[in-house]
């Protein structure tokens, strides 16, 4: 998938992640992993490998933390970067 | 949530400020717990249907006891197993609201089994979400009614057996034997294809309520990684590989399209809820508008908050003296509470009730240390004498109690209540003699107002005058006594 342009985009709130890996397990294109870093609760939070997200929303629906994940189904860096910050 | 972005629904608080401690961003649930996913599906549906403002979330006892930390809706926390009873009351009292009753398997199928059965059978128009994780999560992994045969828990260390613990309860099927429910479905929280089906069911159930169709329930098979001692991904897989074999997924009832809905204010057909107003008319409670009120009586400071325990044997009018005191107190601007004590004592021994009359709002109605004790017979005096606060009052029925109270640090008033009532023609009026006596010494209530309003507490016309005379006689008997 490396050459494939990402249509979607995903943002994690690191401090709202419990490292359960359900999103990692569920992502159909396997673009998520647990970080080797720890968050302040002592969990290895989920992170985006950096490309390939299709914006399918699967990770959002399997994540048990209400604010853990934000998914853009269609992501345009020029349009959206400002509102994500 | 439609649109381009999937994010935390508005029906959650953006920050969980009710949650104690520094971390107000994450839930208290264990990593991988199914509760969080179901919460999210419910919150998303409330957003999408635009009903957050009128939604009331009933949190049970169980891991989801703190639902009110998270849901930015109305919230009520119910006693264990009672969510469906509380939801019934909430919906009937507020027919416009959207009531979500959320219960675990210990809560719904164990201690609250009869509550859910009756609520579903009455076809109450609220929505139940039933989290079946085959275990008691909150208390550390004991067997639930839904625990599988062979499953080990802390209370079935060798595995559940049907000989010892019976078979796991299939609630979605059980409720489908009833006539009233309109929609029942079992779903699971797990891989996305299942979770998206669960999402559909959640929305359908809430929509059925919005349309006034009647009782709906979604049972969600859900992981409890902590209770099962599994990591989150294994726990999720166990739900869809093992748990589901005993609890088949699918709809066990769907009558939604056949039932005519009732929407308050829009139509008069279908499942019309009985509103309070109609009920009040039927049982003939005088409404506020027609009731005269009286000013708050002036009494010594110590009577600004009175905790009164009235005790005697059944038939002495102990409970109705309590009702009388609180009803009259209410007319005279007090905050009041009345709590009867039932139990085996009702049959012969002592019965008692707790009455509070206060210038301030009352928290709990229970009384442990009365400021005023009213024993109508001997056993009641023995039982409660020691509990009276120092400087408090004891009004005792000296017709039946020949050994006066021993306490010297309280004010003791003998009242010949039964004899005086007998003299008026009916020993049953002894309780009202006592009322008059209490008023005479404490000034808690205005006596003339009590006599004028006697019909509020004595429903039978022919007994009103007798009881008015009894209050007057008790008042006269004690007014001349010093102390
Ligand atoms: C009247 C009463 N009895 C017992 C308890 C102890 N108790 C607390 S939670 C619980 C079981 C909850 O299990 P479940 O409903 O399955 O919810 P879960 O914790 O698994 O989400 C029990 C028995 C209680 N709080 N109140
Ligand atoms: S939105 Fe879909 S593709 Fe993107 S990370 Fe989440 S699960 Fe993977
Ligand atoms: S599912 Fe949510 S809590 Fe679990 S690892 Fe992914 S982001 Fe973190
Ligand atoms: S004990 Fe089980 S049900 Fe309770 S929060 Fe933890 S995983 Fe969830």
């Amino acid at each position: 998938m490396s050459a494939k342009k990402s249509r979607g985009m995903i943002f994690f709130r690191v401090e709202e992640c419990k490292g359960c890996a359900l999103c990692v397990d569920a992502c159909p294109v396997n673009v998520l992993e647990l970080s080797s870093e720890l968050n302040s609760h002592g969990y290895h939070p989920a992170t985006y490998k950096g490309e390939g997200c299709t914006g399918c929303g699967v990770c959002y629906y399997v994540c048990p933390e209400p604010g853990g994940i934000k998914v853009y189904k269609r992501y345009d860096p020029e349009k959206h970067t400002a509102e994500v910050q | 949530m439609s649109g381009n972005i999937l994010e935390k629904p508005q029906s959650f608080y953006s920050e969980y400020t009710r949650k104690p401690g520094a971390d107000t961003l994450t839930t208290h649930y264990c990593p991988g717990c199914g509760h969080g996913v179901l919460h999210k599906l419910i919150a998303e549906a409330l957003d999408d249907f635009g009903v957050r403002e009128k939604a009331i979330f009933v949190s049970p006892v169980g891991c989801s006891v703190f639902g009110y930390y998270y849901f930015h809706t109305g919230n009520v926390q119910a006693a264990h197993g009672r969510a469906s009873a509380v939801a019934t009351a909430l919906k009937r009292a507020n027919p416009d609201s959207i009531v979500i009753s959320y219960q675990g398997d210990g809560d719904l199928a164990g201690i609250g089994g009869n509550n859910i059965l009756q609520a579903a059978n009455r076809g109450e128009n609220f929505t139940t979400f039933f989290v079946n994780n085959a275990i008691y999560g909150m208390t550390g992994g004991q067997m639930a009614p839904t625990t599988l045969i062979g499953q080990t828990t802390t209370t079935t260390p060798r595995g559940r057996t049907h000989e010892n613990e019976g078979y796991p309860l299939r609630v979605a099927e059980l409720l489908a034997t009833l006539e009233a429910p309109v929609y029942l479905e079992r779903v699971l929280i797990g891989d996305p294809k299942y979770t998206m089906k669960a999402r559909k069911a959640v929305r359908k159930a809430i929509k059925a309520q919005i349309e006034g169709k009647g009782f709906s329930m979604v049972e969600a098979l859900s992981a409890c990684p902590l209770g099962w001692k599994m990591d989150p991904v294994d726990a999720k897989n166990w739900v869809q590989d093992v748990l589901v074999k005993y609890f088949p997924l699918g709809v066990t009832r769907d009558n939604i399209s056949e039932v005519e809905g009732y929407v308050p204010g829009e139509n008069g057909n279908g499942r019309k809820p009985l509103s309070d107003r109609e009920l009040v008319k039927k049982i003939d409670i005088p409404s506020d508008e027609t009731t005269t009120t009286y000013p708050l009586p002036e009494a010594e400071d110590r009577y600004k908050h009175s905790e009164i325990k009235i005790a005697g044997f059944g038939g002495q009018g102990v409970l109705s003296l309590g009702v009388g005191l609180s009803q009259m107190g209410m007319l005279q601007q007090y905050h009041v509470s009345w709590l009867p004590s039932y139990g085996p004592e009702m049959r012969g021994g002592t019965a008692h009730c707790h009455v509070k009359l206060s210038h301030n709002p009352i928290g709990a109605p229970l009384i442990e240390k009365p400021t005023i004790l009213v024993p109508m017979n001997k056993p009641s005096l023995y039982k409660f004498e020691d509990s009276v606060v120092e400087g408090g009052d004891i009004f005792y029925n000296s017709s039946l109690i020949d050994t006066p109270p021993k306490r010297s640090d309280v004010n003791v008033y003998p009242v010949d209540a039964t004899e005086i009532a007998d003299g008026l023609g009916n020993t049953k009026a002894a309780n009202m003699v006592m009322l008059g006596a209490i008023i005479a010494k404490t000034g808690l209530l205005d006596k003339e107002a009590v006599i004028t309003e006697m019909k509020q507490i004595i429903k039978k016309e022919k007994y009103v005058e007798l009881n008015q005379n009894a209050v007057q006689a008790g008042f006269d008997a004690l007014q001349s006594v010093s102390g």
Side-chain angles (χ1 to χ4, degrees):
Chain A
M1 83 205 65
S2 51
K4 201 175 150 212
K5 197 169 168 289
S6 312
R7 272 185 303 169
M9 185 62 184
I10 170 167
F11 296 93
F12 290 101
R13 308 253 288 265
V14 175
E15 290 303 319
E16 294 185 42
C17 172
K18 288 179 176 158
C20 70
L22 291 179
C23 57
V24 176
D25 180 78
C27 174
V29 290
N30 194 24
V31 298
L32 303 177
E33 62 188 351
L34 291 188
S35 162
S36 54
E37 315 266 300
L38 292 175
N39 68 11
S40 75
H41 310 297
Y43 295 121
H44 291 287
T47 55
Y48 181 34
K49 288 180 187 169
E51 57 183 11
C53 172
T54 64
C56 69
V58 152
C59 54
Y60 170 83
Y61 283 108
V62 300
C63 173
E65 279 303 310
I69 298 179
K70 178 171 179 174
V71 172
Y72 280 77
K73 295 179 189 167
R74 296 276 179 280
Y75 187 73
D76 177 350
E78 277 163 36
K79 231 171 73 191
H80 294 130
T81 310
E83 74 180 60
V84 171
Q85 299 314 317
Chain B
M1 208 182 297
S2 43
N4 190 34
I5 304 173
L6 294 170
E7 63 184 332
K8 188 178 185 176
Q10 307 277 314
S11 293
F12 287 120
Y13 289 110
S14 53
E15 204 188 325
Y16 312 131
T17 51
R18 286 178 178 156
K19 192 179 171 222
D23 173 19
T24 52
L25 287 177
T26 69
T27 64
H28 70 291
Y29 296 116
C30 307
C33 172
H35 277 302
V37 176
L38 187 58
H39 280 21
K40 207 186 229 178
L41 299 179
I42 294 168
E44 187 198 34
L46 296 178
D47 276 20
D48 291 353
F49 295 142
V51 294
R52 180 188 75 75
E53 294 265 353
K54 53 180 185 175
I56 306 175
F57 188 88
V58 186
S59 317
V61 167
C63 282
S64 46
V65 65
F66 298 128
Y68 56 88
Y69 288 175
Y70 313 120
F71 282 93
H72 192 189
T73 58
N75 284 281
V76 175
Q77 202 281 310
H80 207 9
R82 306 296 165 250
S84 38
V86 171
T88 297
L90 289 169
K91 185 70 186 192
R92 286 196 179 199
N94 310 280
D96 289 322
S97 60
I98 298 303
V99 176
I100 305 291
S101 177
Y102 187 103
Q103 303 188 252
D105 42 26
D107 196 67
L108 181 141
I111 189 168
N114 186 44
N115 277 220
I116 188 68
L117 207 60
Q118 303 301 339
N121 192 42
R122 292 189 305 265
E124 299 294 344
N125 185 28
F126 62 80
T127 309
T128 295
F129 292 104
F130 168 41
V131 177
N132 177 352
N133 57 16
I135 207 152
Y136 288 5
M138 185 193 212
T139 41
Q142 294 81 3
M143 190 199 88
T146 47
T147 295
L148 295 184
I149 296 292
Q151 190 182 339
T152 55
T153 67
T154 57
T155 46
T156 53
R158 293 186 207 90
R160 179 177 187 162
T161 62
H162 71 84
E163 294 88 347
N164 218 28
E165 290 91 13
Y167 292 95
L169 277 184
R170 293 189 183 100
V171 175
E173 288 81 350
L174 196 65
L175 296 192
T177 64
L178 305 173
E179 289 294 321
V182 295
Y183 176 56
L184 304 166
E185 179 167 359
R186 185 182 291 116
V187 298
L188 77 74
I189 304 293
D191 280 342
K193 62 173 179 190
Y194 295 113
T195 301
M196 294 317 274
K197 272 201 173 158
R199 178 175 181 270
K200 248 176 131 175
V202 165
R203 300 168 82 85
K204 192 164 170 180
I206 294 176
K207 190 129 177 291
Q209 181 184 173
I210 294 171
E211 291 170 353
K213 299 286 178 131
F215 183 84
S216 56
M217 183 194 74
V218 175
E219 171 174 345
L221 305 181
S222 167
C224 173
L226 191 88
W228 302 345
K229 303 183 174 60
M230 290 182 193
D231 83 44
V233 174
D234 290 344
K236 173 216 62 174
N237 288 334
W238 193 78
V239 173
Q240 55 201 48
D241 296 342
V242 180
L243 198 56
V244 74
K245 293 217 171 97
Y246 187 85
F247 296 107
L249 303 184
V251 174
T252 58
R253 169 70 53 81
D254 185 356
N255 279 348
I256 294 176
S257 56
E258 290 141 48
V259 175
E260 190 180 355
Y262 171 77
V263 182
E266 283 186 21
N267 62 10
N269 309 320
R271 300 164 174 275
K272 194 165 186 287
L274 188 63
S275 81
D276 278 355
R277 221 165 269 285
E278 288 167 45
L279 194 64
V280 166
K281 247 193 244 155
K282 278 210 179 109
I283 55 182
D284 198 26
I285 296 174
S287 73
D288 291 348
E289 299 99 76
T290 60
T291 307
T292 324
T293 51
Y294 298 86
L296 196 60
E298 282 183 31
E300 280 175 54
D301 272 2
R302 66 189 176 111
Y303 295 117
K304 284 188 173 159
H305 181 88
S306 300
E307 309 212 342
I308 308 163
K309 195 170 268 184
I310 306 160
F313 56 77
Q316 279 190 309
V318 162
L319 301 188
S320 45
L321 171 53
V323 173
L325 261 170
S326 27
Q327 193 109 4
M328 292 301 175
M330 207 149 59
L331 290 175
Q332 300 186 25
Q333 309 304 320
Y334 284 97
H335 294 270
V336 305
S337 67
W338 172 77
L339 182 75
S341 169
Y342 294 107
E345 290 133 319
M346 288 291 284
R347 280 166 262 277
T350 61
H352 70 273
C353 67
H354 311 237
V355 175
K356 293 191 182 182
L357 259 60
S358 180
H359 286 208
N360 297 309
I362 293 165
L366 196 77
I367 297 173
E368 278 174 12
K369 296 189 160 80
T371 60
I372 300 175
L373 177 67
V374 187
M376 297 293 286
N377 67 355
K378 253 189 199 175
S380 313
L381 176 63
Y382 294 152
K383 190 167 173 190
F384 296 118
E385 181 176 350
D386 289 343
S387 67
V388 180
V389 297
E390 212 183 301
D393 304 315
I394 299 180
F395 292 86
Y396 73 100
N397 183 6
S398 54
S399 312
L400 301 183
I401 304 174
D402 48 13
T403 45
K406 295 176 195 63
R407 294 273 297 270
S408 57
D409 59 344
V410 298
N411 310 301
V412 172
Y413 304 103
V415 184
D416 209 0
T418 308
E419 292 286 347
I420 293 174
D422 208 29
L424 294 170
N426 194 333
T427 52
K428 285 208 165 119
N431 59 351
M432 289 299 136
V433 173
M434 212 36 124
L435 179 59
I438 295 168
I439 294 172
K441 280 296 148 199
T442 62
L444 258 180
L445 296 170
D446 180 73
K447 187 220 11 166
E448 287 311 318
V450 168
I451 288 176
T452 312
E453 298 295 340
M454 187 55 74
K455 59 185 182 304
Q456 301 261 358
I457 48 176
I458 304 296
K459 295 290 176 205
K460 284 215 174 96
E461 189 75 45
K462 61 175 177 177
Y463 291 126
V464 170
E465 199 184 326
L466 167 71
N467 283 284
Q468 285 169 325
N469 293 340
V471 169
Q472 186 66 51
F475 189 86
D476 294 344
L478 273 230
Q479 216 189 17
S480 50
V481 178
S482 61

